[in-house]
Amino acid sequence: MSDIILELQDLKTYFPVKGSRTQFVKAVDGVSFQVKKGETVGLVGESGCGKSTIGRTIMRFNQPTGGKIIFDGNDITAADMKPFRQRMQMVFQDPYSSLDPRMSVGDIVGEPLDIHNPKMNRKERYDRILEQMKLVGLNSEQLSRFPHEFSGGQRQRISIARAMVIKPEFLVLDEPVSALDVSIQAQIINMLMDLQDQIGMAYLFIAHDLAVVRHISKTVVVMYLGHIMEINTAKDLYRNPLHPYTQALLSAIPIPDPKTSRARRRQVLQGDVPSPINPPSGCVFSTRCPYATEACRSQIPKVEDVGGGHVVSCLRYKEINN
Ligand SMILES: Nc1ncnc2c1ncn2[C@@H]1O[C@H](COP(=O)(O)OP(=O)(O)O)[C@@H](O)[C@H]1O
Ligand SMILES: [Mg+2]
């Protein structure tokens, strides 16, 4: 049996541009990576680079334009998702708009049970909801309350309880803490890690900031404008980033170790992410890369495994890290 719960092979998701028959938003443009059972992959990149689209395409809320999605050995690229819905769930970024304000918390958390397990009797249903509430740090009195009575952090706990109540094996967490205060972020991340230890789900944890995914991720995938720039274990990525984009993202976050901090060249990313409708030729990062040459602007770099699952997509990574 394979230890891979999710695999993306050259996944592409394009959206038609309104009013045009020939133009597409290439939100995801050839992305491959794997998530192992019970482990966390962090998916990081600036806003607009295609992270949510990857999450939504995995769930098949968006339909892939090309490539493959393999879930626990099953090709789900074009499959009927009914048998898989219970095994994979998604938590969304905004804790304010993602909960129905007219439903009680008990009914919100119980809704997936009603959909996937309608024959469950009332007592079983109640017990399961209560158990899940406790797992996310909420209590039985809060079951009859409504979303507006809760803080952002508590609402995100409710969203997580709802996603987990049917015991999925894989969870897409789309910027689950980005809207929350830093102190609350750490609490939610610790809770997610505890739940993973207890229950053994795999996570795809999406964030726009490398600092957020550092402790929860076993592996980190760095993407830019629909493409993968670098993949490495979290341990090695933060210590030895090889791609100039990873280096730039890392130099933007404070790190506690002064030695590493000094050794690292400071880089600030200039300008905005280009449009995925007209992406730059060659390497998509070339218009913002301090090391880009003519070759970078004309050749698309290979997404290369440089050893042990460490992936880099840069023509010049050897030279610039010398
Ligand atoms: N349903 C859609 N229709 C058209 N364009 C979309 C749609 N969803 C996302 N996009 C575009 O795809 C790109 C990637 O978006 P998204 O996946 O939300 O990025 P991220 O989550 O990294 O911020 C953006 O340019 C966005 O405007
Ligand atoms: Mg997003």
Side-chain angles (χ1 to χ4, degrees), residues 173-207:
L173 297 151
D174 189 3
E175 306 214 31
V177 299
S178 297
L180 308 176
D181 291 346
V182 174
S183 59
I184 312 288
Q185 290 189 353
Q187 291 173 13
I188 301 280
I189 289 175
N190 288 334
M191 179 195 84
L192 286 166
M193 289 165 76
D194 287 346
L195 288 171
Q196 188 172 53
D197 283 346
Q198 290 174 47
I199 301 163
M201 295 149 293
Y203 297 148
L204 179 65
F205 190 110
I206 298 174

Side-chain angles (χ1 to χ4, degrees), residues 128 130-138 191 195 198-199:
R128 182 72 203 97
L130 189 55
E131 178 196 17
Q132 193 58 53
M133 290 285 281
K134 287 183 179 153
L135 281 169
V136 300
L138 298 167
M191 179 195 84
L195 288 171
Q198 290 174 47
I199 301 163

Side-chain angles (χ1 to χ4, degrees), residues 297-313:
R297 285 184 266 274
S298 55
Q299 282 175 49
I300 298 172
K302 274 189 304 200
V303 184
E304 202 179 335
D305 191 331
V306 299
H310 182 185
V311 166
V312 186
S313 179

